[in-house]
Structures are given as C-alpha cells and as structure tokens.
Amino acid sequence: MSIIRKVSKILQNQNNLVRVYSLLVIFVIIIGIATLPLISYNENQLYPKSVDMKSPLNPYDRGGEPFEKAEVKAQYPENSRYLGYVTAYLTPFSLFISYNTLYAGTTIVSHPGGIIDEILYNTRGLDTIIETSILFIAFAIAMFLFRRNEKE
Amino acid sequence: MYELENINIEGQVVTFIPFGDIVGYLTPYTAILFIFAAVFTIIALISKPEKQVDIAFGGDAYYTKNVSVKQMRFQRFMAAACGLATMGGVLSGDVFNFTLFTAMVGITNIGIVASIKNRHILDNAYEYGILAMVGTLPLFAGAAIIVATTGTLSMWILFTPLVTVPLVAKLLLVIGVLAEGMAPVYVAKAEITRAPGAPFILMVHVSSLVLFLRVIEIVISM
Amino acid sequence: MILLYILFAVFAGLLFHGIHRKVIARIQTRPGPPIWQEILHVLKFSFKQTWIPKTASKILFMAIVAAVIAIWSGALYILISGGSLLIIFGVYLLHKITEHGLGLSSGSPYGKFGAIRSVISAASEIPLIASIAIIYLITGSLMISDITAYQASNGILLITAFPVAIAMYIIVLSKVPYSPFGIIEAKEIVSGNKTEHFGVWRAGLEVGFSIKTFVLLATFITLFIGAMPFWMLVLASLILLLTMSFVCAVTPMLSPYDAVTIQIAVIIIVIIYAGYLGVMG
Amino acid sequence: MKKTSIKAILAISAIICITAGLFALEGIIPEWLAAAVIVVSFPAFVISLGMYWKESDKEGDYPFVGY
C-alpha cells in the first residue's frame, strides 16, 4: 500500500475529522508560541476596560451615572449620535442589589433588564443582534428536534 | 467618507453602510459574493425540494423520497437564516462582527440537516457539529489577539499599512472559518450532501465557500 | 466588445475541448473524433427534445445552468479588463457551488454521487487555489494589470514563483475533461453531476464550461508568463492545454480520496514555500 | 413554458446584450455596467435559444436510474 493510500485512508474516516483538525490547531498554536516575542499588547485600546473591585457592577461597570452622559470612546463617534447616554441603566431591583451588596455584576447576566450596555447598544448594536440571533437559531433547532416526533 | 487605503487587492469601495462602530462595505469583489449569496437564498426560498430517487437493491424497483411539508418549512427557515448570515458576513467591516456571523453560519448549517431522519447523515452531522464548536476557539481567539495587539477591530483601520496584525491571528481566523464552514477534510460534509432537500443543502456550501472567500480577502488585506 | 470576447471564448473553448480529445486519442493510438466535435455536440444538444425530470427541484435545475454561464462570462471580463485576481479566484469557488447544485438538483442517484465527489474535491482544490495569495506577497498587488507590469520589469513568475505555478497548474488540470483529478465525471457514475442535464441544459452547460476552460488557461498564462497580444494569448493557452492533454492521456483517473491527498501534498509544498518567502523577507 | 414567452425572452435578452455592447462601445454607459448587464442577459439568451429550437410539450419523466 502506497503512502498516498495510507494517508487517504486516515483522511476519509469521518471519526478522525476532529483529530485532524486538532493537529491543524496545534500546528498554528505552535507557530503562535514561536512568534510570541514579536507580539505585544497595545496600550491604546479602543474599548478600554478597567476592573474596579469596589464597584457592585464589576466587571460590567462602564462608569457614569444612570440617565447621565458618560465618557465613552468609539471608533466612529459620528455614527453614534447618542454616544455616552444611558451608560448603565439598572432596573429598580438591580439598583436595590447594587446598593446592598457587592455582587450585582455577577448576577447581571442572569436576570432580565439588569443592564443595558451603552457600548453594545450605541456603537456595536449589530453585534448584540447577531449574538441573540445565534441563540434563537440554537433554540429553534433544539425545539424542532424535541417536537418532531409529535403527532399533529 | 470611508476609503480603503490599499485598492490593489479588491478595488475601490462601492458603497458602505454604517452601524455605529461597525461600518460594512462592498467592493466589486464582495459585491459579487453578496449578489451570489442573495441569488441562492432566493432560490432556496422559492424552489421546492427535489425527490431523491433511490434504487432498491436486488431488483429493478426504485422509489422516490418525499420531503414532508413540516420538514421542508424548517429546512427553508434555516436556509434563509444561513443566507442572511452569509450576506452579513460578506458585508461586515468589523472583525468581531465577521466572526459572529461565521459562528451563526456554523449553527445554521447543522440546523439545515438536523431535521433529516437518516442515521448515516446524522452521524456525520454530529461530527461536523463538534468540529464547528471546536472551530469557534481559534475563530474568536484570532479576533481577541487582533484587538489586543492593535487596539481596534475596525477593518478600515486594520487594512491600513500602519497597523501590523500578527501572523498567528490571521492563521487562527482562517482555520476558524475552515472549521465552521468546510472542515479540513470535508469528509463529514460530503456525506451530509446525501440528505434530501437540494436547494437547502446547497446553502450549506454557498455559505461556507463564500465566507472562505471573504476571510481570504480579510487576511490578505490585513 | 465584451460580447465579442464571450462569443469568441465559447468557440475557442469548444475547439480546445475538441483538440484535447483528439490529442488524447492520438497518444492512445486511436483515431479520435474531429476537433470540431464539441461544437457539433453543443448544436446537437440544443436541437434535442428537452424537459425537466419529474423529480427535480425545477427552479434550481434551471438556475444552475444560467449561473454557470454567468459567472464565467464575468470572469472573462475581469481577465480582459485586468481586474482583481481575487474575483477570478472567487468565481472558481462559485463554480464549485454550481457543481454541487448541478448534481443535487435532479434527484438522480448518479447526479448525487457526482455532487458528493465534488464536495470531497473542494477540500483540497480550494486551499490550493488560495495559494495565489502568495503572489500578493511577491508582487504587492492582486490586480492582473499590476501583475503583468511586475513581470515585465522583474522576470516572469513561472520561474520566480515556481511552486505557486505548480499549484495553479494542478488546479487548471483538475478542471479539464478526462483529467486524473476529474473525479466528479468518472465513468462509473455515468456523467457525474451532469447526468440529468440533457438537451438544452447540457448545451448551456457546455457553453459555460468552454468559457471556463478558456478563462482558466488564459489566466494561467497571464499570471505566470505575462501580458501578450490576444492572438498570442490564445496560442499560448493552446500549448498549455497540449501539455495537459499529455498528462491526461497517460495517467489513469485517481480514486476520489487519493486525488484529495495528492492535492493536499501540493498544498503543503506551497505552505513551506510561503514560510520560506516569509523568512527570507 | 409557452413558446411565445420563450420567444419574448429570447428577443429581449438578445436586444439587451447587443445594445449594452454597442452603448459601451459608444461610451454612453461605462464598460463595467455593460459587462454586468451582459453577464445577466447572456445566459438567458443561450438557454432560451435552445428552448426556442426544441422545447418539449410533454411533461417530464423520471430520471435515469440505471440499467
């Protein structure tokens, strides 16, 4: 059996698919580690992030008072006319949590209306829409598969 | 207002669409991809699935497989979502936005074949789905390394010669799209092609190949 | 002007297919058909009774034929006007999609096998053609007009970028009829993905494929040898085709996954070459 | 499809192809626009030409399924 036959025998088995791909990823990561000295962190970040351990909204705290304007950086400010408004809008319940505990930030993702992030809604709104669309698609598939054996 | 600095690769910007910080654009190259994806999405929406002919072995008989209306509706919905995600990925002018659209294509591709009751196809769809999930790691890692080393995600800035994007980030992006769309060896995807519902199955290929074309353009330009 | 070019490319491409068949036959010591056989084929097909198979997905069945002609006419315009090489690369990939669609749309088992093989071969053909990105590393531009200008001053790319030329040669080779890599139209699956497209549909497909052959050969010549007058371009394409006819005549068709493996081996060579270019500056 | 509608498509696509080509030659419309128009109308021309010559009136049948 020639070497070509041997290689194609490995490649044509779909159970090896993830293994072959992992080899590819490992190869790229080795290149990445080898070129690590050439890569440096850029201090001048467009979306700066500082974690304030004292804030109850940590790590989601973008600064600014609710209903007031805050300093927010954007790549193209001319496209976001309401830049900086509604930096952190909290529902009354979330406001209550943030006044009384230090852990509102850890629960924000788990209850609705916790925080409306200005960066997401004004400057990167399209991302928010796609993220939720991906979730919806996943739910639609799961729902269809769950109910497909039901009789009408 | 927005201009690509290097027009040697794909020509001048024809039009742009600003969504806040995400400014999508079309050049002659991406416009062709966009039109192609749009045409095939429309075909998937308006055409009925084919009836696959199968031969019963051991005799002269053959029979046709019919796609049920319920299954066709779901496949059509997924094909439309897949087409929209593809068009979004082609239009996008932001690296993170592009990776999100790519991840969405990976999920809808599984959705298109998920409704088929055929063990062989589902086995392969499972392997392919695992790969699509594994592929999100290099995909988003690539975008993360780009934002860490350059401080921005906008392609308008990244395509200028002043900004250097590390090689590893480019490679990670490419192999991420490979896994979401076409897989290194394509074997599972080739078996998925056996599923009935040709106009919808075709969207699996349209989305992955068009996004591969787009990522090549992004990587060369960066 | 573009209309004349398209009409010329249709006839030149069909004639190329005929010459290709003739040369293969002569190498295999057969008389072979006359060189205008493929033109006669197209005429014959367009005068045949035509319908759409009952099991087919009708709109897809028809639209795919139009798509094949449309994308390659577009590629021809890009090649002549010296546009972006990326667009021709894109059209090549869109052609892969139409190949899948051709086979899937009819519902015939043979068409389906052709489509599956087309998907398998996409695994290696697509990364292979992506190696034209290396040309950007060398010339600093992907516009065909810039690449020919670069070759006029710095020597032809066939010599200076030999591994990429090999990759492109294999790409063009896998798209000519009777190629060792042409697994989608192997005889054991009748006519592969074209099986159910008969009559007018086949005539339309042959028109599209003839433009495709012409564009791919002319792209290779322009890309690796440089700009030349149009009649010389056609002549050089013909000589390139003759080399491919020799390869096709003396090699058997590979089994599907072996074709993929061989192409992957070429990809690895190209990647090593890219790494070498990157290290050397 | 009816023969008359095929005839109409054939005539319209042929006229569009030729006028686009002539207009580009005269410089009335830019060349890329002419190319785009021709790319869309040329396939319609080729297919409708064949259909005009010989399109069957009878319904389709089942595809070739082997010997």
Side-chain angles (χ1 to χ4, degrees):
Chain A
M1 217 158 59
S2 67
I3 180 106
I4 293 169
R5 279 280 165 79
K6 275 181 196 158
V7 174
S8 25
K9 200 166 183 183
I10 297 169
L11 294 186
Q12 66 182 282
N13 185 352
Q14 77 266 16
N15 294 323
N16 287 335
L17 190 62
V18 179
R19 282 169 215 169
V20 172
Y21 184 71
S22 326
L23 282 180
L24 201 63
V25 175
I26 291 168
F27 177 67
V28 170
I29 288 176
I30 288 173
I31 292 180
I33 293 171
T35 56
L36 208 54
L38 305 175
I39 302 172
S40 60
Y41 183 75
N42 190 327
E43 294 297 333
N44 182 23
Q45 291 281 323
L46 176 62
Y47 306 114
K49 192 148 193 173
S50 54
V51 177
D52 177 8
M53 294 310 254
K54 296 269 165 49
S55 162
L57 297 181
N58 161 40
Y60 291 93
D61 197 354
R62 303 277 186 208
E65 290 291 308
F67 304 112
E68 294 295 323
K69 194 171 186 295
E71 280 295 311
V72 174
K73 284 217 263 177
Q75 190 92 60
Y76 305 107
E78 67 274 17
N79 291 338
S80 316
R81 280 191 292 150
Y82 298 103
L83 189 68
Y85 287 104
V86 201
T87 305
Y89 169 73
L90 301 179
T91 57
F93 179 63
S94 312
L95 217 53
F96 171 78
I97 297 179
S98 73
Y99 284 153
N100 290 298
T101 73
L102 259 180
Y103 305 110
T106 57
T107 62
I108 270 167
V109 282
S110 62
H111 68 273
I115 189 169
I116 296 172
D117 194 328
E118 188 278 338
I119 288 187
L120 287 181
Y121 274 75
N122 263 349
T123 63
R124 301 190 63 86
L126 193 60
D127 278 353
T128 331
I129 296 168
I130 304 161
E131 277 160 14
T132 40
S133 318
I134 293 175
L135 275 179
F136 273 129
I137 296 284
F139 281 135
I141 297 171
M143 202 166 67
F144 182 84
L145 291 181
F146 184 70
R147 299 189 55 180
R148 74 170 172 177
N149 289 329
E150 270 179 21
K151 293 277 176 287
E152 303 279 301
Chain B
M1 193 160 74
Y2 300 94
E3 286 294 336
L4 286 179
E5 224 166 277
N6 188 353
I7 58 163
N8 276 342
I9 294 168
E10 44 176 334
Q12 263 158 342
V13 172
V14 177
T15 179
F16 63 88
I17 306 166
F19 291 109
D21 272 6
I22 299 159
V23 183
Y25 67 95
L26 286 178
T27 58
Y29 175 66
T30 50
I32 288 173
L33 302 185
F34 188 86
I35 292 168
F36 197 83
V39 165
F40 273 84
T41 311
I42 292 168
I43 289 176
L45 282 178
I46 61 175
S47 62
K48 287 189 183 133
E50 93 288 16
K51 300 186 194 76
Q52 275 193 352
V53 180
D54 254 12
I55 304 164
F57 282 103
D60 295 337
Y62 59 87
Y63 58 92
T64 57
K65 284 181 203 161
N66 282 320
V67 181
S68 69
V69 175
K70 198 175 159 192
Q71 183 180 331
M72 187 196 77
R73 278 196 191 134
F74 183 71
Q75 277 192 313
R76 193 166 57 191
F77 165 63
M78 278 297 158
C82 187
L84 288 176
T86 312
M87 284 185 258
V90 169
L91 195 68
S92 186
D94 184 277
V95 174
F96 183 66
N97 200 240
F98 171 76
T99 56
L100 277 179
F101 275 121
T102 312
M104 187 167 161
V105 162
I107 286 185
T108 51
N109 280 355
I110 299 303
I112 289 172
V113 287
S115 58
I116 285 142
K117 289 179 189 169
N118 175 324
R119 205 191 158 91
H120 179 69
I121 290 169
L122 286 181
D123 273 350
N124 281 285
Y126 171 76
E127 293 289 338
Y128 180 57
I130 297 271
L131 195 74
M133 272 195 284
V134 174
T136 50
L137 169 77
L139 192 64
F140 287 103
I145 293 176
I146 287 173
V147 76
T149 51
T150 64
T152 183
L153 283 166
S154 171
M155 288 182 196
W156 303 91
I157 314 274
L158 291 171
F159 288 0
T160 54
L162 291 174
V163 181
T164 49
V165 176
L167 176 72
V168 61
K170 294 180 182 179
L171 289 178
L172 284 172
L173 264 187
V174 172
I175 61 169
V177 174
L178 275 181
E180 293 297 335
M182 35 189 279
V185 195
Y186 235 66
V187 38
K189 203 168 179 194
E191 299 301 314
I192 283 174
T193 312
R194 291 177 196 274
F200 318 121
I201 299 294
L202 197 58
M203 278 312 294
V204 175
H205 305 300
V206 172
S207 60
S208 54
L209 294 188
V210 167
L211 280 183
F212 183 72
L213 284 171
R214 177 80 172 114
V215 81
I216 290 292
E217 177 238 311
I218 293 173
V219 164
I220 294 178
S221 301
M222 278 194 308
Chain C
M1 270 320 260
I2 170 73
L3 199 60
L4 292 181
Y5 275 119
I6 291 175
L7 290 176
F8 177 81
V10 170
F11 284 101
L14 288 172
L15 209 57
F16 279 4
H17 282 172
I19 295 169
H20 183 60
R21 278 184 76 174
K22 187 81 174 173
V23 171
I24 290 178
R26 280 298 157 88
I27 293 168
Q28 296 169 345
T29 60
R30 292 184 282 117
I35 56 170
W36 51 82
Q37 183 64 40
E38 299 289 328
I39 298 175
L40 296 182
H41 262 336
V42 169
L43 286 176
K44 181 192 81 175
F45 279 131
S46 43
F47 280 113
K48 279 201 152 191
Q49 197 181 26
T50 303
W51 63 81
I52 300 173
K54 223 170 197 170
T55 55
S57 168
K58 290 193 175 57
I59 295 170
L60 187 64
F61 190 87
M62 294 190 287
I64 276 300
V65 179
V68 172
I69 305 175
I71 55 175
W72 286 107
S73 323
L76 184 67
Y77 171 71
I78 298 297
L79 177 67
I80 289 164
S81 64
S84 172
L85 191 59
L86 261 186
I87 297 179
I88 292 180
F89 161 57
V91 166
Y92 183 86
L93 256 70
L94 301 183
H95 176 74
K96 282 296 334 166
I97 297 171
T98 60
E99 269 180 7
H100 308 333
L102 268 183
L104 291 175
S105 62
S106 65
S108 157
Y110 295 104
K112 193 172 70 178
F113 287 141
I116 291 168
R117 288 193 175 188
S118 161
V119 178
I120 292 172
S121 63
S124 54
E125 283 179 12
I126 288 163
L128 204 54
I129 198 167
S131 63
I132 59 160
I134 296 169
I135 291 176
Y136 179 72
L137 277 182
I138 299 170
T139 61
S141 172
L142 274 178
M143 291 292 157
I144 291 173
S145 46
D146 292 350
I147 292 171
T148 51
Y150 174 89
Q151 294 187 82
S153 54
N154 293 330
I156 59 173
L157 283 173
L158 183 64
I159 294 163
T160 49
F162 189 60
V164 185
I166 292 179
M168 268 301 278
Y169 187 83
I170 286 178
I171 276 294
V172 182
L173 179 64
S174 32
K175 284 290 155 233
V176 296
Y178 312 103
S179 136
F181 298 101
I183 52 173
I184 60 167
E185 44 196 26
K187 286 295 165 227
E188 74 268 19
I189 50 173
V190 193
S191 296
N193 49 8
K194 291 186 290 189
T195 305
E196 288 305 329
H197 283 74
F198 59 98
V200 176
W201 314 119
R202 178 64 78 88
L205 282 182
E206 293 297 334
V207 167
F209 289 165
S210 61
I211 306 178
K212 175 198 76 181
T213 304
F214 184 81
V215 169
L216 282 180
L217 291 171
T219 307
F220 184 92
I221 297 291
T222 321
L223 206 52
F224 292 105
I225 296 181
M228 52 182 79
F230 191 69
W231 64 271
M232 263 176 76
L233 182 68
V234 176
L235 206 64
S237 306
L238 184 60
I239 294 168
L240 180 66
L241 183 74
L242 291 183
T243 66
M244 287 176 183
S245 308
F246 271 95
V247 176
C248 295
V250 298
T251 49
M253 188 171 288
L254 294 160
S255 76
Y257 281 102
D258 287 355
V260 173
T261 310
I262 290 177
Q263 287 175 338
I264 287 176
V266 178
I267 296 168
I268 292 172
I269 293 174
V270 171
I271 289 174
I272 292 170
Y273 175 66
Y276 166 77
L277 276 186
V279 171
M280 298 301 282
Chain D
M1 257 195 282
K2 287 210 181 73
K3 268 273 151 75
T4 47
S5 55
I6 288 171
K7 215 184 272 183
I9 294 173
L10 178 66
I12 291 169
S13 55
I15 291 168
I16 291 176
C17 270
I18 293 167
T19 41
L22 287 180
F23 275 26
L25 218 57
E26 294 289 317
I28 301 171
I29 53 171
E31 202 166 300
W32 63 265
L33 186 66
V37 169
I38 289 173
V39 160
V40 174
S41 57
F42 184 67
F45 171 72
V46 170
I47 292 172
S48 58
L49 183 67
M51 297 284 267
Y52 171 67
W53 278 336
K54 202 80 188 178
E55 207 240 349
S56 170
D57 298 326
K58 66 177 200 185
E59 228 183 293
D61 65 354
Y62 286 91
F64 176 64
V65 285
Y67 301 103

